[in-house]
Amino acid sequence: MMKLFDQEILEKKPLVLAGPCSAESEAQIMQTARELSAMGIKIFRAGIWKPRTKPGGFEGVGSQALEWLRKVKAETGMLVATEVANARHVREALASDVDVLWIGARTTANPFAVQEIADELAKYPQEKRDSIAVLVKNPVNPDLELWIGAIERLQRAGILRLGAIHRGFSAYGPHIFRNPPEWRIPIELKRRMPEMTVICDPSHIGGKRELIGRLSQQALNMNFDGLIIESHCSPDCALSDKDQQLTPVELGKVLGSLEIRDKVVTTESLGELRQRLDAIDGELLDLLARRMDVSREIGQYKKEHGMSVVQPERYSDLIKNRVEMAEGLKLGKKFVQTILADIHEESVRQQLEEK
Ligand code: PEP
Ligand code: MN
């Protein structure tokens, strides 16, 4: 694996890719790019081929925008990035010297499409493959293996500048977020692939411009490596994702307000607090093991008396009673319910194994 971008791009913290959701006209692209470049943004994004949920929506202006991106590069020196969803997009984008390709969330969810993109990339000489960066957005559904699988397909195609974009996961019904972040999934991706550059996309997570600052700060607090943020010269006229786009000036304000936490300060007091946590985790595991011992004894009893393992009434009473017990303990209700459901599931599994 190579560094995702060259040193001079990575030096500036945080790493930011910015630009409109979609390329709409040469004037919109050039104006937005000039303003972003003047603010010090080094990588410009714009969707050319847009995956729309329903037919008849704005499906992007297509290949003609590649010339506009070429002009952005020539005039501002920024790297340019666009979304590719099939082999033709890859060919056209690379023929126009696009530097960064990203695979959209709907495409990552489809292994056939990802493989087609990987096979196309594999046809280029290694030197060309070394020069392009590919960013893989998480699939729309919260499936970490599918996300990792897409990354692996590109690794096998000899792509060495690889990164991941966390853009949240789709959910049914009204939510605060357009795509709830489910932070534990990108965190687990980073644990499984520690070398991977993981970039957060607060625009598609939040879906509303007011949420972008807060989500960006959360991402930095959680040690994400960078941000990709939608920015349009006049967001209210945008042909796609208008509610979530910021003007370059607004983006500048958001970026200026971010606190960068890139230090690792391990003082004695942090060490001591961590030791206390380690000890408590040990006690927790010990308690859980003791609980399972009792549970297995209950399993034995149920078996001897011809009782079924799952007793739904007892289960609902138990959850209700424990949630009440937890009141006032500064524990989230949902957390208590989830952890008890998991413990119960493990109990049932162990009781079923009782011979
Ligand atoms: C986009 O980046 O504009 C886009 C279509 O994103 P996603 O694939 O995350 O929905
Ligand atoms: Mn968008």
Side-chain angles (χ1 to χ4, degrees):
M1 189 123 128
M2 285 168 74
K3 280 225 153 74
L4 181 57
F5 299 116
D6 293 342
Q7 197 51 34
E8 77 239 39
I9 304 259
L10 293 172
E11 245 155 38
K12 199 166 167 273
K13 295 258 164 68
L15 168 70
V16 179
L17 291 82
C21 177
S22 304
E24 298 165 3
S25 68
E26 181 170 342
Q28 168 246 10
I29 284 294
M30 293 315 296
Q31 190 186 334
T32 312
R34 283 180 192 126
E35 290 182 37
L36 291 171
S37 172
M39 284 164 41
I41 300 292
K42 303 277 183 231
I43 310 174
F44 182 74
R45 63 148 283 157
I48 291 179
W49 300 287
K50 300 299 295 179
R52 301 324 307 175
T53 303
K54 297 237 172 88
F58 174 63
E59 292 185 334
V61 296
S63 317
Q64 58 173 312
L66 290 167
E67 274 316 302
W68 310 338
L69 292 184
R70 205 194 268 284
K71 212 168 149 188
V72 167
K73 266 180 83 150
E75 194 182 307
T76 67
M78 283 192 279
L79 299 182
V80 294
T82 201
E83 172 171 347
V84 291
N86 58 38
R88 177 177 66 86
H89 296 163
V90 171
R91 276 195 300 276
E92 291 194 22
L94 295 188
S96 292
D97 293 330
V98 168
D99 309 279
V100 183
L101 306 178
W102 84 78
I103 299 187
R106 293 158 192 77
T107 307
T108 307
N110 177 355
F112 289 130
V114 177
Q115 194 57 51
E116 178 182 320
I117 292 168
D119 289 345
E120 188 59 30
L121 285 165
K123 292 180 188 161
Y124 287 80
Q126 190 60 49
E127 201 191 334
K128 178 73 178 168
R129 277 180 275 165
D130 285 353
S131 71
I132 40 180
V134 182
L135 301 171
V136 183
K137 287 199 167 199
N138 62 258
V140 276
N141 53 324
D143 184 339
L144 176 63
E145 299 310 320
L146 200 52
W147 195 2
I148 292 179
I151 293 171
E152 285 174 357
R153 287 177 201 276
L154 291 153
Q155 276 171 335
R156 288 184 186 198
I159 298 296
L160 298 174
R161 294 182 190 261
L162 263 176
I165 299 177
H166 167 233
R167 50 77 81 199
F169 301 88
S170 53
Y172 183 68
H175 274 269
I176 299 172
F177 300 113
R178 177 179 177 195
N179 291 292
E182 314 270 15
W183 296 107
R184 68 208 141 90
I185 298 178
I187 289 171
E188 179 62 10
L189 174 73
K190 192 81 183 174
R191 194 187 67 77
R192 295 265 298 272
M193 303 184 122
E195 303 299 314
M196 187 60 53
T197 301
V198 187
I199 294 170
C200 182
D201 175 346
S203 309
H204 291 90
I205 294 176
K208 292 188 241 359
R209 54 181 73 99
E210 310 79 73
L211 294 175
I212 299 200
R214 203 178 87 200
L215 284 164
S216 301
Q217 185 65 59
Q218 276 184 351
L220 296 188
N221 295 353
M222 282 187 272
N223 214 9
F224 275 76
D225 301 295
L227 301 166
I228 177 166
I229 303 183
E230 288 188 339
S231 176
H232 189 293
C233 54
S234 26
D236 292 333
C237 307
L239 299 180
S240 60
D241 289 353
K242 71 207 260 273
D243 295 338
Q244 69 193 34
Q245 304 207 58
L246 301 173
T247 62
V249 171
E250 288 165 343
L251 175 66
K253 283 197 194 129
V254 165
L255 296 179
S257 71
L258 294 177
E259 185 197 344
I260 300 194
R261 298 188 177 185
D262 60 351
K263 305 200 174 44
V264 181
V265 188
T266 336
T267 58
E268 246 171 73
S269 55
L270 179 62
E272 198 199 306
L273 287 168
R274 284 184 168 160
Q275 272 177 16
R276 272 163 62 191
L277 265 194
D278 292 349
I280 292 173
D281 284 350
E283 285 170 35
L284 266 176
L285 290 172
D286 201 46
L287 273 174
L288 282 171
R290 277 167 49 202
R291 192 187 189 286
M292 290 304 158
D293 286 345
V294 176
S295 179
R296 278 194 302 272
E297 268 186 55
I298 294 179
Q300 194 60 39
Y301 178 96
K302 286 175 181 164
K303 188 172 159 44
E304 281 165 18
H305 293 81
M307 287 169 72
S308 73
V309 164
V310 180
Q311 303 277 321
E313 249 171 63
R314 158 80 185 150
Y315 177 52
S316 344
D317 284 353
L318 181 147
I319 298 272
K320 188 161 162 283
N321 159 281
R322 304 301 193 261
V323 169
E324 279 165 17
M325 274 163 66
E327 266 167 33
L329 292 181
K330 292 195 187 154
L331 295 169
K333 191 168 166 190
K334 176 121 187 289
F335 166 71
V336 173
Q337 282 167 337
T338 313
I339 202 161
L340 285 166
D342 284 350
I343 291 173
H344 184 259
E345 191 181 318
E346 176 65 7
S347 272
V348 169
R349 191 186 67 78
Q350 297 218 9
Q351 289 190 4
L352 288 171
E353 273 182 6
E354 272 307 290
K355 300 263 155 46

mmCIF file with all atom_site columns, all heavy atoms in Angstrom, residues 333-354:
data_model
loop_
_atom_site.group_PDB
_atom_site.id
_atom_site.type_symbol
_atom_site.label_atom_id
_atom_site.label_alt_id
_atom_site.label_comp_id
_atom_site.label_asym_id
_atom_site.label_entity_id
_atom_site.label_seq_id
_atom_site.pdbx_PDB_ins_code
_atom_site.Cartn_x
_atom_site.Cartn_y
_atom_site.Cartn_z
_atom_site.occupancy
_atom_site.B_iso_or_equiv
_atom_site.pdbx_formal_charge
_atom_site.auth_seq_id
_atom_site.auth_comp_id
_atom_site.auth_asym_id
_atom_site.auth_atom_id
_atom_site.pdbx_PDB_model_num
ATOM 1   N N   . LYS A 1 333 ? -30.737 4.133   27.979 1.00 0.00 ? 333 LYS A N   1
ATOM 2   C CA  . LYS A 1 333 ? -31.738 3.069   28.028 1.00 0.00 ? 333 LYS A CA  1
ATOM 3   C C   . LYS A 1 333 ? -31.502 2.050   26.906 1.00 0.00 ? 333 LYS A C   1
ATOM 4   O O   . LYS A 1 333 ? -31.532 0.834   27.117 1.00 0.00 ? 333 LYS A O   1
ATOM 5   C CB  . LYS A 1 333 ? -33.117 3.708   27.888 1.00 0.00 ? 333 LYS A CB  1
ATOM 6   C CG  . LYS A 1 333 ? -34.247 2.778   28.186 1.00 0.00 ? 333 LYS A CG  1
ATOM 7   C CD  . LYS A 1 333 ? -35.539 3.552   28.321 1.00 0.00 ? 333 LYS A CD  1
ATOM 8   C CE  . LYS A 1 333 ? -36.691 2.553   28.285 1.00 0.00 ? 333 LYS A CE  1
ATOM 9   N NZ  . LYS A 1 333 ? -37.976 3.175   28.179 1.00 0.00 ? 333 LYS A NZ  1
ATOM 10  N N   . LYS A 1 334 ? -31.225 2.577   25.719 1.00 0.00 ? 334 LYS A N   1
ATOM 11  C CA  . LYS A 1 334 ? -31.021 1.714   24.562 1.00 0.00 ? 334 LYS A CA  1
ATOM 12  C C   . LYS A 1 334 ? -29.795 0.824   24.780 1.00 0.00 ? 334 LYS A C   1
ATOM 13  O O   . LYS A 1 334 ? -29.787 -0.361  24.461 1.00 0.00 ? 334 LYS A O   1
ATOM 14  C CB  . LYS A 1 334 ? -30.846 2.620   23.315 1.00 0.00 ? 334 LYS A CB  1
ATOM 15  C CG  . LYS A 1 334 ? -30.531 1.935   22.045 1.00 0.00 ? 334 LYS A CG  1
ATOM 16  C CD  . LYS A 1 334 ? -31.579 2.213   20.962 1.00 0.00 ? 334 LYS A CD  1
ATOM 17  C CE  . LYS A 1 334 ? -31.363 1.378   19.715 1.00 0.00 ? 334 LYS A CE  1
ATOM 18  N NZ  . LYS A 1 334 ? -30.184 1.799   18.960 1.00 0.00 ? 334 LYS A NZ  1
ATOM 19  N N   . PHE A 1 335 ? -28.757 1.424   25.381 1.00 0.00 ? 335 PHE A N   1
ATOM 20  C CA  . PHE A 1 335 ? -27.542 0.667   25.663 1.00 0.00 ? 335 PHE A CA  1
ATOM 21  C C   . PHE A 1 335 ? -27.843 -0.497  26.600 1.00 0.00 ? 335 PHE A C   1
ATOM 22  O O   . PHE A 1 335 ? -27.444 -1.639  26.368 1.00 0.00 ? 335 PHE A O   1
ATOM 23  C CB  . PHE A 1 335 ? -26.490 1.611   26.269 1.00 0.00 ? 335 PHE A CB  1
ATOM 24  C CG  . PHE A 1 335 ? -25.320 0.913   26.895 1.00 0.00 ? 335 PHE A CG  1
ATOM 25  C CD1 . PHE A 1 335 ? -24.387 0.262   26.104 1.00 0.00 ? 335 PHE A CD1 1
ATOM 26  C CD2 . PHE A 1 335 ? -25.156 0.892   28.277 1.00 0.00 ? 335 PHE A CD2 1
ATOM 27  C CE1 . PHE A 1 335 ? -23.308 -0.398  26.670 1.00 0.00 ? 335 PHE A CE1 1
ATOM 28  C CE2 . PHE A 1 335 ? -24.082 0.232   28.860 1.00 0.00 ? 335 PHE A CE2 1
ATOM 29  C CZ  . PHE A 1 335 ? -23.155 -0.418  28.058 1.00 0.00 ? 335 PHE A CZ  1
ATOM 30  N N   . VAL A 1 336 ? -28.607 -0.201  27.677 1.00 0.00 ? 336 VAL A N   1
ATOM 31  C CA  . VAL A 1 336 ? -28.935 -1.249  28.648 1.00 0.00 ? 336 VAL A CA  1
ATOM 32  C C   . VAL A 1 336 ? -29.735 -2.360  27.957 1.00 0.00 ? 336 VAL A C   1
ATOM 33  O O   . VAL A 1 336 ? -29.459 -3.554  28.130 1.00 0.00 ? 336 VAL A O   1
ATOM 34  C CB  . VAL A 1 336 ? -29.715 -0.656  29.857 1.00 0.00 ? 336 VAL A CB  1
ATOM 35  C CG1 . VAL A 1 336 ? -30.207 -1.756  30.779 1.00 0.00 ? 336 VAL A CG1 1
ATOM 36  C CG2 . VAL A 1 336 ? -28.835 0.327   30.609 1.00 0.00 ? 336 VAL A CG2 1
ATOM 37  N N   . GLN A 1 337 ? -30.698 -1.941  27.136 1.00 0.00 ? 337 GLN A N   1
ATOM 38  C CA  . GLN A 1 337 ? -31.521 -2.951  26.445 1.00 0.00 ? 337 GLN A CA  1
ATOM 39  C C   . GLN A 1 337 ? -30.672 -3.812  25.511 1.00 0.00 ? 337 GLN A C   1
ATOM 40  O O   . GLN A 1 337 ? -30.794 -5.034  25.495 1.00 0.00 ? 337 GLN A O   1
ATOM 41  C CB  . GLN A 1 337 ? -32.616 -2.259  25.622 1.00 0.00 ? 337 GLN A CB  1
ATOM 42  C CG  . GLN A 1 337 ? -33.759 -1.797  26.486 1.00 0.00 ? 337 GLN A CG  1
ATOM 43  C CD  . GLN A 1 337 ? -34.695 -0.849  25.739 1.00 0.00 ? 337 GLN A CD  1
ATOM 44  O OE1 . GLN A 1 337 ? -34.308 -0.216  24.772 1.00 0.00 ? 337 GLN A OE1 1
ATOM 45  N NE2 . GLN A 1 337 ? -35.916 -0.733  26.224 1.00 0.00 ? 337 GLN A NE2 1
ATOM 46  N N   . THR A 1 338 ? -29.778 -3.153  24.768 1.00 0.00 ? 338 THR A N   1
ATOM 47  C CA  . THR A 1 338 ? -28.972 -3.898  23.799 1.00 0.00 ? 338 THR A CA  1
ATOM 48  C C   . THR A 1 338 ? -28.047 -4.886  24.498 1.00 0.00 ? 338 THR A C   1
ATOM 49  O O   . THR A 1 338 ? -27.922 -6.051  24.113 1.00 0.00 ? 338 THR A O   1
ATOM 50  C CB  . THR A 1 338 ? -28.105 -2.928  22.969 1.00 0.00 ? 338 THR A CB  1
ATOM 51  O OG1 . THR A 1 338 ? -28.915 -1.870  22.540 1.00 0.00 ? 338 THR A OG1 1
ATOM 52  C CG2 . THR A 1 338 ? -27.478 -3.601  21.791 1.00 0.00 ? 338 THR A CG2 1
ATOM 53  N N   . ILE A 1 339 ? -27.415 -4.409  25.568 1.00 0.00 ? 339 ILE A N   1
ATOM 54  C CA  . ILE A 1 339 ? -26.430 -5.273  26.217 1.00 0.00 ? 339 ILE A CA  1
ATOM 55  C C   . ILE A 1 339 ? -27.136 -6.459  26.885 1.00 0.00 ? 339 ILE A C   1
ATOM 56  O O   . ILE A 1 339 ? -26.662 -7.596  26.830 1.00 0.00 ? 339 ILE A O   1
ATOM 57  C CB  . ILE A 1 339 ? -25.538 -4.453  27.183 1.00 0.00 ? 339 ILE A CB  1
ATOM 58  C CG1 . ILE A 1 339 ? -24.238 -5.187  27.417 1.00 0.00 ? 339 ILE A CG1 1
ATOM 59  C CG2 . ILE A 1 339 ? -26.167 -4.154  28.485 1.00 0.00 ? 339 ILE A CG2 1
ATOM 60  C CD1 . ILE A 1 339 ? -23.166 -4.285  27.947 1.00 0.00 ? 339 ILE A CD1 1
ATOM 61  N N   . LEU A 1 340 ? -28.332 -6.196  27.443 1.00 0.00 ? 340 LEU A N   1
ATOM 62  C CA  . LEU A 1 340 ? -29.066 -7.308  28.070 1.00 0.00 ? 340 LEU A CA  1
ATOM 63  C C   . LEU A 1 340 ? -29.562 -8.293  27.014 1.00 0.00 ? 340 LEU A C   1
ATOM 64  O O   . LEU A 1 340 ? -29.536 -9.509  27.237 1.00 0.00 ? 340 LEU A O   1
ATOM 65  C CB  . LEU A 1 340 ? -30.237 -6.773  28.881 1.00 0.00 ? 340 LEU A CB  1
ATOM 66  C CG  . LEU A 1 340 ? -29.791 -6.131  30.199 1.00 0.00 ? 340 LEU A CG  1
ATOM 67  C CD1 . LEU A 1 340 ? -30.918 -5.331  30.804 1.00 0.00 ? 340 LEU A CD1 1
ATOM 68  C CD2 . LEU A 1 340 ? -29.312 -7.200  31.170 1.00 0.00 ? 340 LEU A CD2 1
ATOM 69  N N   . ALA A 1 341 ? -29.976 -7.759  25.872 1.00 0.00 ? 341 ALA A N   1
ATOM 70  C CA  . ALA A 1 341 ? -30.439 -8.662  24.805 1.00 0.00 ? 341 ALA A CA  1
ATOM 71  C C   . ALA A 1 341 ? -29.270 -9.556  24.361 1.00 0.00 ? 341 ALA A C   1
ATOM 72  O O   . ALA A 1 341 ? -29.441 -10.753 24.135 1.00 0.00 ? 341 ALA A O   1
ATOM 73  C CB  . ALA A 1 341 ? -30.986 -7.855  23.639 1.00 0.00 ? 341 ALA A CB  1
ATOM 74  N N   . ASP A 1 342 ? -28.068 -8.960  24.261 1.00 0.00 ? 342 ASP A N   1
ATOM 75  C CA  . ASP A 1 342 ? -26.891 -9.757  23.853 1.00 0.00 ? 342 ASP A CA  1
ATOM 76  C C   . ASP A 1 342 ? -26.548 -10.818 24.908 1.00 0.00 ? 342 ASP A C   1
ATOM 77  O O   . ASP A 1 342 ? -26.217 -11.954 24.582 1.00 0.00 ? 342 ASP A O   1
ATOM 78  C CB  . ASP A 1 342 ? -25.670 -8.848  23.647 1.00 0.00 ? 342 ASP A CB  1
ATOM 79  C CG  . ASP A 1 342 ? -25.749 -8.080  22.333 1.00 0.00 ? 342 ASP A CG  1
ATOM 80  O OD1 . ASP A 1 342 ? -26.634 -8.401  21.518 1.00 0.00 ? 342 ASP A OD1 1
ATOM 81  O OD2 . ASP A 1 342 ? -24.935 -7.160  22.132 1.00 0.00 ? 342 ASP A OD2 1
ATOM 82  N N   . ILE A 1 343 ? -26.630 -10.419 26.170 1.00 0.00 ? 343 ILE A N   1
ATOM 83  C CA  . ILE A 1 343 ? -26.311 -11.375 27.243 1.00 0.00 ? 343 ILE A CA  1
ATOM 84  C C   . ILE A 1 343 ? -27.333 -12.519 27.226 1.00 0.00 ? 343 ILE A C   1
ATOM 85  O O   . ILE A 1 343 ? -26.993 -13.695 27.334 1.00 0.00 ? 343 ILE A O   1
ATOM 86  C CB  . ILE A 1 343 ? -26.311 -10.663 28.625 1.00 0.00 ? 343 ILE A CB  1
ATOM 87  C CG1 . ILE A 1 343 ? -25.116 -9.703  28.705 1.00 0.00 ? 343 ILE A CG1 1
ATOM 88  C CG2 . ILE A 1 343 ? -26.281 -11.670 29.765 1.00 0.00 ? 343 ILE A CG2 1
ATOM 89  C CD1 . ILE A 1 343 ? -25.112 -8.828  29.943 1.00 0.00 ? 343 ILE A CD1 1
ATOM 90  N N   . HIS A 1 344 ? -28.579 -12.155 27.034 1.00 0.00 ? 344 HIS A N   1
ATOM 91  C CA  . HIS A 1 344 ? -29.623 -13.172 27.006 1.00 0.00 ? 344 HIS A CA  1
ATOM 92  C C   . HIS A 1 344 ? -29.411 -14.126 25.831 1.00 0.00 ? 344 HIS A C   1
ATOM 93  O O   . HIS A 1 344 ? -29.545 -15.346 25.972 1.00 0.00 ? 344 HIS A O   1
ATOM 94  C CB  . HIS A 1 344 ? -31.005 -12.500 26.926 1.00 0.00 ? 344 HIS A CB  1
ATOM 95  C CG  . HIS A 1 344 ? -32.135 -13.475 26.978 1.00 0.00 ? 344 HIS A CG  1
ATOM 96  N ND1 . HIS A 1 344 ? -32.798 -13.876 25.853 1.00 0.00 ? 344 HIS A ND1 1
ATOM 97  C CD2 . HIS A 1 344 ? -32.696 -14.161 28.011 1.00 0.00 ? 344 HIS A CD2 1
ATOM 98  C CE1 . HIS A 1 344 ? -33.721 -14.770 26.195 1.00 0.00 ? 344 HIS A CE1 1
ATOM 99  N NE2 . HIS A 1 344 ? -33.682 -14.949 27.500 1.00 0.00 ? 344 HIS A NE2 1
ATOM 100 N N   . GLU A 1 345 ? -29.033 -13.562 24.687 1.00 0.00 ? 345 GLU A N   1
ATOM 101 C CA  . GLU A 1 345 ? -28.811 -14.392 23.505 1.00 0.00 ? 345 GLU A CA  1
ATOM 102 C C   . GLU A 1 345 ? -27.697 -15.405 23.762 1.00 0.00 ? 345 GLU A C   1
ATOM 103 O O   . GLU A 1 345 ? -27.795 -16.583 23.413 1.00 0.00 ? 345 GLU A O   1
ATOM 104 C CB  . GLU A 1 345 ? -28.443 -13.487 22.320 1.00 0.00 ? 345 GLU A CB  1
ATOM 105 C CG  . GLU A 1 345 ? -28.444 -14.199 20.996 1.00 0.00 ? 345 GLU A CG  1
ATOM 106 C CD  . GLU A 1 345 ? -28.050 -13.253 19.853 1.00 0.00 ? 345 GLU A CD  1
ATOM 107 O OE1 . GLU A 1 345 ? -28.515 -12.094 19.838 1.00 0.00 ? 345 GLU A OE1 1
ATOM 108 O OE2 . GLU A 1 345 ? -27.261 -13.689 19.004 1.00 0.00 ? 345 GLU A OE2 1
ATOM 109 N N   . GLU A 1 346 ? -26.638 -14.938 24.434 1.00 0.00 ? 346 GLU A N   1
ATOM 110 C CA  . GLU A 1 346 ? -25.520 -15.841 24.746 1.00 0.00 ? 346 GLU A CA  1
ATOM 111 C C   . GLU A 1 346 ? -25.963 -16.915 25.747 1.00 0.00 ? 346 GLU A C   1
ATOM 112 O O   . GLU A 1 346 ? -25.589 -18.075 25.641 1.00 0.00 ? 346 GLU A O   1
ATOM 113 C CB  . GLU A 1 346 ? -24.333 -15.018 25.282 1.00 0.00 ? 346 GLU A CB  1
ATOM 114 C CG  . GLU A 1 346 ? -23.128 -15.824 25.749 1.00 0.00 ? 346 GLU A CG  1
ATOM 115 C CD  . GLU A 1 346 ? -22.419 -16.611 24.641 1.00 0.00 ? 346 GLU A CD  1
ATOM 116 O OE1 . GLU A 1 346 ? -22.772 -16.448 23.461 1.00 0.00 ? 346 GLU A OE1 1
ATOM 117 O OE2 . GLU A 1 346 ? -21.529 -17.425 24.980 1.00 0.00 ? 346 GLU A OE2 1
ATOM 118 N N   . SER A 1 347 ? -26.806 -16.520 26.714 1.00 0.00 ? 347 SER A N   1
ATOM 119 C CA  . SER A 1 347 ? -27.340 -17.484 27.681 1.00 0.00 ? 347 SER A CA  1
ATOM 120 C C   . SER A 1 347 ? -28.116 -18.579 26.962 1.00 0.00 ? 347 SER A C   1
ATOM 121 O O   . SER A 1 347 ? -27.960 -19.768 27.252 1.00 0.00 ? 347 SER A O   1
ATOM 122 C CB  . SER A 1 347 ? -28.322 -16.802 28.618 1.00 0.00 ? 347 SER A CB  1
ATOM 123 O OG  . SER A 1 347 ? -27.697 -16.261 29.704 1.00 0.00 ? 347 SER A OG  1
ATOM 124 N N   . VAL A 1 348 ? -28.975 -18.152 26.034 1.00 0.00 ? 348 VAL A N   1
ATOM 125 C CA  . VAL A 1 348 ? -29.794 -19.125 25.304 1.00 0.00 ? 348 VAL A CA  1
ATOM 126 C C   . VAL A 1 348 ? -28.883 -20.066 24.523 1.00 0.00 ? 348 VAL A C   1
ATOM 127 O O   . VAL A 1 348 ? -29.045 -21.287 24.536 1.00 0.00 ? 348 VAL A O   1
ATOM 128 C CB  . VAL A 1 348 ? -30.774 -18.400 24.347 1.00 0.00 ? 348 VAL A CB  1
ATOM 129 C CG1 . VAL A 1 348 ? -31.440 -19.376 23.398 1.00 0.00 ? 348 VAL A CG1 1
ATOM 130 C CG2 . VAL A 1 348 ? -31.828 -17.647 25.152 1.00 0.00 ? 348 VAL A CG2 1
ATOM 131 N N   . ARG A 1 349 ? -27.864 -19.484 23.876 1.00 0.00 ? 349 ARG A N   1
ATOM 132 C CA  . ARG A 1 349 ? -26.945 -20.312 23.088 1.00 0.00 ? 349 ARG A CA  1
ATOM 133 C C   . ARG A 1 349 ? -26.282 -21.361 23.985 1.00 0.00 ? 349 ARG A C   1
ATOM 134 O O   . ARG A 1 349 ? -26.224 -22.548 23.656 1.00 0.00 ? 349 ARG A O   1
ATOM 135 C CB  . ARG A 1 349 ? -25.874 -19.426 22.443 1.00 0.00 ? 349 ARG A CB  1
ATOM 136 C CG  . ARG A 1 349 ? -25.036 -20.132 21.394 1.00 0.00 ? 349 ARG A CG  1
ATOM 137 C CD  . ARG A 1 349 ? -23.892 -19.264 20.893 1.00 0.00 ? 349 ARG A CD  1
ATOM 138 N NE  . ARG A 1 349 ? -22.879 -18.991 21.896 1.00 0.00 ? 349 ARG A NE  1
ATOM 139 C CZ  . ARG A 1 349 ? -21.941 -19.857 22.266 1.00 0.00 ? 349 ARG A CZ  1
ATOM 140 N NH1 . ARG A 1 349 ? -21.883 -21.055 21.721 1.00 0.00 ? 349 ARG A NH1 1
ATOM 141 N NH2 . ARG A 1 349 ? -21.053 -19.538 23.199 1.00 0.00 ? 349 ARG A NH2 1
ATOM 142 N N   . GLN A 1 350 ? -25.849 -20.914 25.170 1.00 0.00 ? 350 GLN A N   1
ATOM 143 C CA  . GLN A 1 350 ? -25.168 -21.854 26.070 1.00 0.00 ? 350 GLN A CA  1
ATOM 144 C C   . GLN A 1 350 ? -26.140 -22.906 26.615 1.00 0.00 ? 350 GLN A C   1
ATOM 145 O O   . GLN A 1 350 ? -25.788 -24.061 26.769 1.00 0.00 ? 350 GLN A O   1
ATOM 146 C CB  . GLN A 1 350 ? -24.503 -21.080 27.212 1.00 0.00 ? 350 GLN A CB  1
ATOM 147 C CG  . GLN A 1 350 ? -23.423 -20.145 26.691 1.00 0.00 ? 350 GLN A CG  1
ATOM 148 C CD  . GLN A 1 350 ? -22.211 -20.065 27.608 1.00 0.00 ? 350 GLN A CD  1
ATOM 149 O OE1 . GLN A 1 350 ? -22.088 -20.832 28.564 1.00 0.00 ? 350 GLN A OE1 1
ATOM 150 N NE2 . GLN A 1 350 ? -21.297 -19.146 27.311 1.00 0.00 ? 350 GLN A NE2 1
ATOM 151 N N   . GLN A 1 351 ? -27.394 -22.475 26.890 1.00 0.00 ? 351 GLN A N   1
ATOM 152 C CA  . GLN A 1 351 ? -28.360 -23.453 27.408 1.00 0.00 ? 351 GLN A CA  1
ATOM 153 C C   . GLN A 1 351 ? -28.710 -24.483 26.339 1.00 0.00 ? 351 GLN A C   1
ATOM 154 O O   . GLN A 1 351 ? -28.916 -25.649 26.644 1.00 0.00 ? 351 GLN A O   1
ATOM 155 C CB  . GLN A 1 351 ? -29.622 -22.739 27.887 1.00 0.00 ? 351 GLN A CB  1
ATOM 156 C CG  . GLN A 1 351 ? -29.374 -21.939 29.159 1.00 0.00 ? 351 GLN A CG  1
ATOM 157 C CD  . GLN A 1 351 ? -30.656 -21.406 29.793 1.00 0.00 ? 351 GLN A CD  1
ATOM 158 O OE1 . GLN A 1 351 ? -31.760 -21.692 29.333 1.00 0.00 ? 351 GLN A OE1 1
ATOM 159 N NE2 . GLN A 1 351 ? -30.504 -20.651 30.867 1.00 0.00 ? 351 GLN A NE2 1
ATOM 160 N N   . LEU A 1 352 ? -28.750 -24.031 25.071 1.00 0.00 ? 352 LEU A N   1
ATOM 161 C CA  . LEU A 1 352 ? -29.059 -24.984 24.004 1.00 0.00 ? 352 LEU A CA  1
ATOM 162 C C   . LEU A 1 352 ? -27.944 -26.012 23.851 1.00 0.00 ? 352 LEU A C   1
ATOM 163 O O   . LEU A 1 352 ? -28.163 -27.135 23.414 1.00 0.00 ? 352 LEU A O   1
ATOM 164 C CB  . LEU A 1 352 ? -29.261 -24.243 22.655 1.00 0.00 ? 352 LEU A CB  1
ATOM 165 C CG  . LEU A 1 352 ? -30.557 -23.442 22.546 1.00 0.00 ? 352 LEU A CG  1
ATOM 166 C CD1 . LEU A 1 352 ? -30.544 -22.598 21.288 1.00 0.00 ? 352 LEU A CD1 1
ATOM 167 C CD2 . LEU A 1 352 ? -31.781 -24.362 22.541 1.00 0.00 ? 352 LEU A CD2 1
ATOM 168 N N   . GLU A 1 353 ? -26.734 -25.603 24.217 1.00 0.00 ? 353 GLU A N   1
ATOM 169 C CA  . GLU A 1 353 ? -25.605 -26.526 24.103 1.00 0.00 ? 353 GLU A CA  1
ATOM 170 C C   . GLU A 1 353 ? -25.556 -27.530 25.239 1.00 0.00 ? 353 GLU A C   1
ATOM 171 O O   . GLU A 1 353 ? -24.838 -28.517 25.170 1.00 0.00 ? 353 GLU A O   1
ATOM 172 C CB  . GLU A 1 353 ? -24.289 -25.735 24.075 1.00 0.00 ? 353 GLU A CB  1
ATOM 173 C CG  . GLU A 1 353 ? -23.949 -25.305 22.664 1.00 0.00 ? 353 GLU A CG  1
ATOM 174 C CD  . GLU A 1 353 ? -22.631 -24.555 22.592 1.00 0.00 ? 353 GLU A CD  1
ATOM 175 O OE1 . GLU A 1 353 ? -21.926 -24.469 23.609 1.00 0.00 ? 353 GLU A OE1 1
ATOM 176 O OE2 . GLU A 1 353 ? -22.348 -24.070 21.494 1.00 0.00 ? 353 GLU A OE2 1
ATOM 177 N N   . GLU A 1 354 ? -26.267 -27.237 26.326 1.00 0.00 ? 354 GLU A N   1
ATOM 178 C CA  . GLU A 1 354 ? -26.291 -28.158 27.487 1.00 0.00 ? 354 GLU A CA  1
ATOM 179 C C   . GLU A 1 354 ? -26.788 -29.526 27.028 1.00 0.00 ? 354 GLU A C   1
ATOM 180 O O   . GLU A 1 354 ? -27.859 -29.640 26.433 1.00 0.00 ? 354 GLU A O   1
ATOM 181 C CB  . GLU A 1 354 ? -27.238 -27.639 28.572 1.00 0.00 ? 354 GLU A CB  1
ATOM 182 C CG  . GLU A 1 354 ? -26.645 -26.683 29.581 1.00 0.00 ? 354 GLU A CG  1
ATOM 183 C CD  . GLU A 1 354 ? -25.393 -27.198 30.255 1.00 0.00 ? 354 GLU A CD  1
ATOM 184 O OE1 . GLU A 1 354 ? -25.494 -28.136 31.064 1.00 0.00 ? 354 GLU A OE1 1
ATOM 185 O OE2 . GLU A 1 354 ? -24.289 -26.651 29.973 1.00 0.00 ? 354 GLU A OE2 1
#
